[in-house]
Amino acid sequence: MRHRERRRGARPVLASSIAAVSVAIAVAAGAEDVGNKPGKSVPAAASARPAAMANAPAAAPEASAGTTDTGSAAMAAYNKALAERRLEASSALTPTTIRERLLEAQELLGAGRRDEVIAHLVRLVESPRFADYAESDEGHAATYALGDALASAGAHDPARGYLKRLLPLSPSDTYARRAVRRLAEIAIDTENIAPILEDLRAVPAAQPPETRGEIAYLNGRARQLGGDPDGAFKFFAEVSVESRFWAQSVYLSGVIEVERGRLKEGENLFCKVADPGRSDKTAPFFADEKFFAVRDLARLALGRVAHEQFRFDDARYYYYLVPQDSERLAEALYESATGRYEKKDYESARELLDELKALGVHHRYEDEAWILSAYLDLARCRFEDADAELKGFIVRYEPVRDAARRLAGDERVLMRLLDASRGRTDAAAEPSGVTPDAARAIAALVRIDAGYGVVSKRLAQLEQEMSGLRGSMGQLDDLTRTLATSGGVRPSSEGLGEGPPNSPARARAEADGIKRQLDALERARAPAADIAAMRASLKQIEASLGPARDAGPGAGSSALPKGADLPGLLQTDRASATEFYAAADAARAKLLEVRTALAKDAVHRLDQRLSRLLRRARLGRIESVLGRKRALEVEVEALAAGVLPQAALDSLEAPRYLKDSEEYWPFEGDDWPDEYVGGEGLN
Amino acid sequence: MRRSIVSSLLVASSLVLTTLVLGQARGTRPANKPKPKPAVTSTSKESRPETSDDKPKPEDDPYGPSSGAAPASSSAPAAEPSVQRSHASGDGGVRSSPLNPRPEEFPDGGAVATPVDLDKIMGDIAALRARVAAIGDVMFKSRIVLRVETRGDHAKIGKLTINLDDGIVYTAPPGFFADDEITVYDHAVAPGRHVLGVDIERRDDRGETFRTGQHSRVTLDVPENQRLETSIRIDDDSDMGSDFPSSQKGSYDLRVRVRAKARK
């Protein structure tokens, strides 16, 4: 259920509510429940782009648009230097050896050893002998595998560089088609679409429908993100039913129609995707899990459109189409119940809420469903029940709201809690300083922006690369030393100390511990002034810790000259590594900042929602008192008019006072004293 | 007899005629009486404006403006006339849900501002790492092989990273387990001493609040021109998750064992 009140300008809000879940469909992953308000993400530069750039219209914010350096030149220099020293970089290559190496890479990938796969394939593809086979099937396969592995590691620029090499092949070539698909996935993943569209210009004109669909979808998505719905609509219409993006395109077209206020047209488009007859067996395209996610979204959208037009019965049908195994089931049941409530079909609304409760899972509508349930009781004049429910709501959620507020001030704890929410682990297991109940409730209710997931993923990839880079820097030092000492042994001076990288992390962990102790003292009602003083000092310590970053490895020895020979190349790379580490550390700090802001925003929105619902609960309690008062008034008026209320009439009936196990036999005129104990001898 | 029949027919026909005449509609249908306009303000329960209570009160919204006096324009929605929904426009009721959320309760959903040069940095690092690894493979004849095995029926791995000389060489995927030994790293390294680190966090599947973690570091000496096969075995015999909730007694027992054997 979203904002549907006509008097509040429901239509535009409906559009945004549908768009809000349009989500990840577009963003290939489809896993995150995201909000993606079209037009909001337009970078300032996008609007100023020349209209002539038909294929690359939008969101090309970043500087990396044209850089797809694979590092081939550096690798070639190494190969040359190695050859000069008669250290061959690779053995003889044949199609069979390439196939064998590809199989090895596949095995490594299966074991999760992605970094090794990349190293393995770089050695193969950048070998001087590989050029002879670059245009063979094996060569294409190796190039694709390397591009794919790099993209999976988050190294999109070199990945694009390798994948681009396959684009000029015949469009019917398997690896050309796979390269287009992988590039499309990178574009959707990063939402940095313009550079990829630029790359895709290399695809020859005679493209199969599948490739045309990929490019048209990317164009549409770019235009939509760039705030040009008309252009996007046109491109989405070009995506044929054979494309894996067909469902996404039709759905997004429907969203655009709804945003324009053309609900009927939007509904027709959603119907195409939501059709119950369309399944993996009947669809002319490969229906993967993303298709089913989009189909559920389309059904929800249909329900919302029908609801918006007051067609509550239609809305119920559409919501009913969301299958039992869908992740959107709770959403559908809750919204359907809201529709029935608005139609005053309280019994059906109650059934739907009971069904929602029977799911027995935590969902993001728990709090709203609770209030709706209480309001249903109010509507059915069950004032005592409603009051009890509302009272329960306040008791349960007021501490949760307060805990959410407290968490907003503690970044690290907040992050851990949100990660538990995203990872679906037990949030109560995280040391958070709030009660386990409140922690679980927050984790269940919080609606995290999709951007949080994107940033978290990028951060994890960057940290992985930084850690790997530390190892590479050590290896470069070893290589330099080996060359300098003609195959000498690594010095054994390294001890087992924690090392500088762990120091700030350890200090932060210590600060967390102190914070938990302070929370415990507060709960134990220790003197507030003392606690406040201690908190102030802790804050000072944290402030000084904040900017402290993990110290990177040293710059290495600069004694060796830079040049084209092997030691020179190693020295150049060592210097570059130090620079890269510093740049990566700065980027990491920025990503952390963005992530913290998103986390705080999520918990702030939760606070707002709970505050609204708590106000609603209090109002509901007033309503319940007024309702009970009115019921009494009606009863008194009836009595004054000589009409006994039903309750009074019932009180005259003897069966009313019987237990379930007892049976009432009415007096029929005959008294048989011997039939009951104590009646003997009585007349 | 015949006269009586004729007279009765006449009476019947006149009655029918009268009925028909009385039943005739007038030539022009009068216009329907216009429906009364809905009241501009209503105090009825169902048409009560719902915005007033949805506005955050200062004590409920610590993020809001500090002054309670909002500009007149900001209260416009509350002042709007509450017009009931028309029955004619739908098949249903007139009562909107009390739960309509406010737009600001939804995620913004806009593009995330990631550092502009992030892709370039990532690409540069990945290319350099791959290059160094490839050159290392050519230059070093000594190798190190790392294998992992996990034991413990109720221990789920939350996090497992293995690092060599402070650089992570393996990160376990979520839900990782290895009943049999699996190779996680096999690479050429410089002969000599290296520091192997194992960071592990385990959770008890009988109670996720019962966790164990360990950060182990060991040194390994890789002989020249040899292959050092290193087995990391992680045993977890903790019984906190099963025993503590019932008997308030339990123990953690997490061990990381590292065995190494050099082969030519």
Side-chain angles (χ1 to χ4, degrees), chain A residues 260-461:
Chain A
R260 288 168 175 167
R262 297 167 49 150
L263 299 186
K264 183 72 191 160
E265 287 75 6
E267 190 172 354
N268 288 339
L269 286 164
F270 293 140
C271 273
K272 283 187 185 176
V273 184
D275 182 1
R278 197 180 285 278
S279 70
D280 52 347
K281 291 192 179 66
T282 59
F285 50 89
F286 176 66
D288 57 0
E289 80 279 5
K290 284 171 204 153
F291 166 74
F292 292 105
V294 178
R295 196 178 64 174
D296 292 345
L297 282 176
R299 287 169 177 173
L300 281 179
L302 281 169
R304 286 166 189 164
V305 168
H307 193 144
E308 176 66 7
Q309 295 175 316
F310 311 101
R311 292 155 38 217
F312 295 113
D313 291 336
D314 289 352
R316 185 181 190 177
Y317 170 71
Y318 290 135
Y319 288 128
Y320 175 75
L321 289 178
V322 176
Q324 289 287 323
D325 58 353
S326 168
E327 282 191 0
R328 303 271 173 188
L329 182 62
E331 211 166 337
L333 286 172
Y334 171 70
E335 292 189 16
S336 190
T338 309
R340 301 323 294 170
Y341 172 77
E342 288 190 28
K343 204 200 165 183
K344 294 190 173 181
D345 178 4
Y346 301 131
E347 293 310 317
S348 300
R350 168 57 60 201
E351 277 171 23
L352 287 160
L353 285 180
D354 288 346
E355 198 180 330
L356 179 59
K357 205 170 180 180
L359 293 179
V361 292
H362 285 294
H363 55 85
R364 293 177 187 180
Y365 296 87
E366 275 176 353
D367 51 348
E368 302 196 53
W370 192 324
I371 289 282
L372 178 61
S373 170
Y375 269 73
L376 263 180
D377 284 339
L378 274 182
R380 296 191 299 173
C381 299
R382 297 183 178 176
F383 301 113
E384 281 81 7
D385 293 345
D387 193 47
E389 275 203 82
L390 293 167
K391 209 171 161 184
F393 181 88
I394 294 169
V395 169
R396 166 104 171 92
Y397 284 105
E398 206 159 32
V400 174
R401 193 265 313 263
D402 295 344
R405 274 183 194 171
R406 226 176 22 249
L407 280 177
D410 192 338
E411 294 167 11
R412 285 193 295 282
V413 170
L414 175 61
M415 230 68 86
R416 278 202 293 267
L417 205 64
L418 293 191
D419 288 341
S421 169
R422 288 177 62 238
R424 300 193 179 177
T425 55
D426 186 7
E430 301 295 336
S432 58
V434 298
T435 60
D437 259 5
R440 285 193 188 110
I442 291 170
L445 297 175
V446 71
R447 293 168 187 170
I448 307 169
D449 195 307
Y452 185 85
V454 173
V455 173
S456 297
K457 187 178 165 190
R458 296 296 276 162
L459 195 58
Q461 286 173 336

Side-chain angles (χ1 to χ4, degrees), chain A residues 74 78 476 568-578, chain B residues 128 131-132:
Chain A
Y78 269 114
L476 277 168
L569 289 171
L570 290 173
Q571 191 58 29
T572 308
D573 265 351
R574 184 63 177 83
S576 305
T578 309
Chain B
L128 186 136
R131 203 157 57 229
V132 172

Side-chain angles (χ1 to χ4, degrees), chain B residues 7-44:
Chain B
S7 63
S8 63
L9 275 172
L10 274 172
V11 169
S13 60
S14 65
L15 276 172
V16 168
L17 199 64
T18 313
T19 311
L20 284 172
V21 167
L22 287 175
Q24 282 290 325
R26 291 185 185 174
T28 54
R29 188 190 290 268
N32 287 335
K33 193 178 175 184
K35 285 181 184 172
K37 285 181 182 172
V40 172
T41 54
S42 169
T43 52
S44 77

Side-chain angles (χ1 to χ4, degrees), chain B residues 43-88:
Chain B
T43 52
S44 77
K45 183 179 164 189
E46 296 194 340
S47 59
R48 187 179 297 154
E50 297 196 2
T51 47
S52 57
D53 65 289
D54 285 343
K55 269 200 278 181
K57 293 169 192 166
E59 68 273 17
D60 278 342
D61 186 11
Y63 310 92
S66 55
S67 71
S73 59
S74 70
S75 61
E80 274 181 26
S82 58
V83 182
Q84 290 193 348
R85 283 175 169 179
S86 163
H87 286 277

